[in-house]
Amino acid sequence: MTALLIDGKAAAQALRERVARAASELRQERGVTPGLAVVLVGDDPASQVYVRNKARQTLDAGMASFEHRLPADVPATTLMQLVAELNADPAVHGILVQLPLPSQIDAEAVLRAIDPAKDVDGFHPINVGLLAVGQPRFVPCTPLGCSLLLKAQRPDLAGLHAVVIGRSNIVGKPMAQLLLAEHCTVTIAHSKTRDLPAVVCQADIVIAAVGRPGMVRGNWLRPGAIVIDVGINRIAADTASGNRLVGDVNFDEALQVAAAITPVPGGVGPMTIACLLLNTLRAAAWATQWALPEAVR
Ligand SMILES: NC(=O)c1ccc[n+]([C@@H]2O[C@H](COP(=O)([O-])OP(=O)(O)OC[C@H]3O[C@@H](n4cnc5c(N)ncnc54)[C@H](OP(=O)(O)O)[C@@H]3O)[C@@H](O)[C@H]2O)c1
């Protein structure tokens, strides 16, 4: 068997186009432009790249982008003051504080300070709770992207056994909630799970969100499984650039066993920012009590 490649780039582009069309309708009907504020503290190179990409794609979707850069040694009170100003700014519908934050800042306190109605990352405890009780408002962007890719592949997931490897608040836990809402039987595995290969081989759906290059081997997979590889790991390569990105799944091995698989790069990654734009559109729609078009519901 050679697995079907799930094209996250194409899916993300299609989603961004749907979001851009809806944003344009919102502007025409209500005179409102969805606005996303991104706060970057410090000069972490990877975060700078993410923030630049987010700003570009926000503008490309016809939305307003507000970027706030603060030095790495900024006092926590200054950051909190900025969050309070963004909470109060009617032009800002979504707020994202880029993680990780420097050690002098309590990241949990900052996330809790964001107005839950503007929390487009879906990390505020209120939004986490709403997802847990089956009334999702803002769902974290990476698991939301995984779920959209999965459902495009297989619209009805009811009864399937999904194994989520990883239990972070950003990926693993919300992913498990989304799969449960789709009526999957869900197993969450983590670093203390005993005999992980034996757990994974029961899965119809495998979500790998670990951060260990190529950890999930082909012979762990049940033939015909759908594999969503969230991992982004930079490893040494023989190319001129000196390194390349790989996922948490041994791609070449999995290709021979799985029914469908997301590549790294070009799988889950592009969906994450597209889902951030979707959440920002939703925030603007709710703030103005505008009914979202079917295509972006
Ligand atoms: N595509 C995207 O847009 C995107 C977005 C976010 C993250 N990512 C990538 O996804 C990966 C996971 O991210 P994250 O933020 O969830 O990472 P994280 O917070 O470090 O969590 C990793 C999870 O993997 C588990 N784990 C570690 N070693 C394991 C092992 N040997 N066997 C089983 N489980 C193990 C950990 O278990 P414990 O809880 O027991 O420690 C933890 O729950 C990373 O590669 C990250 O770069 C990609």
Side-chain angles (χ1 to χ4, degrees), residues 38-197:
V38 176
V39 180
L40 175 62
V41 182
D43 45 18
D44 175 61
S47 295
Q48 286 185 336
V49 172
Y50 291 142
V51 167
R52 226 183 1 256
N53 286 341
K54 282 168 188 166
R56 184 174 45 78
Q57 294 189 28
T58 305
L59 294 171
D60 286 350
M63 300 184 179
S65 168
F66 308 98
E67 223 176 290
H68 297 268
R69 289 172 182 260
L70 300 172
D73 60 356
V74 69
T77 48
T78 308
L79 176 57
M80 288 301 222
Q81 176 59 35
L82 174 60
V83 168
E85 284 165 21
L86 297 173
N87 282 343
D89 185 344
V92 172
H93 301 98
I95 302 170
L96 180 150
V97 177
Q98 183 68 43
L99 301 177
L101 288 170
S103 56
Q104 81 275 14
I105 291 174
D106 177 354
E108 293 300 321
V110 174
L111 297 180
R112 278 196 305 274
I114 295 173
D115 179 349
K118 296 190 177 188
D119 168 41
V120 285
D121 249 345
F123 296 157
H124 191 289
I126 287 191
N127 289 318
V128 174
L130 285 171
L131 177 61
V133 295
Q135 299 163 27
R137 178 166 54 182
F138 295 118
V139 175
C141 301
T142 299
L144 178 58
C146 294
S147 162
L148 293 175
L149 289 178
L150 258 179
K151 292 205 56 173
Q153 205 54 46
R154 182 118 183 216
D156 183 9
L157 303 176
L160 299 182
H161 186 178
V163 172
V164 180
I165 318 173
R167 56 174 165 179
S168 71
N169 290 338
I170 292 172
V171 189
K173 283 182 197 155
M175 188 71 239
Q177 295 287 2
L178 288 172
L179 291 163
L180 203 54
E182 292 295 335
H183 312 294
C184 289
T185 302
V186 182
T187 302
I188 306 176
H190 46 77
S191 68
K192 304 288 188 289
T193 297
R194 269 184 283 160
D195 199 355
L196 185 60

Side-chain angles (χ1 to χ4, degrees), residues 19 63 93-94 117-122 137-141 144 272-286:
V19 168
M63 300 184 179
H93 301 98
K118 296 190 177 188
D119 168 41
V120 285
D121 249 345
R137 178 166 54 182
F138 295 118
V139 175
C141 301
L144 178 58
T272 298
I273 298 184
C275 288
L276 175 67
L277 302 181
L278 177 62
N279 278 349
T280 304
L281 171 74
R282 287 177 172 166
W286 284 320

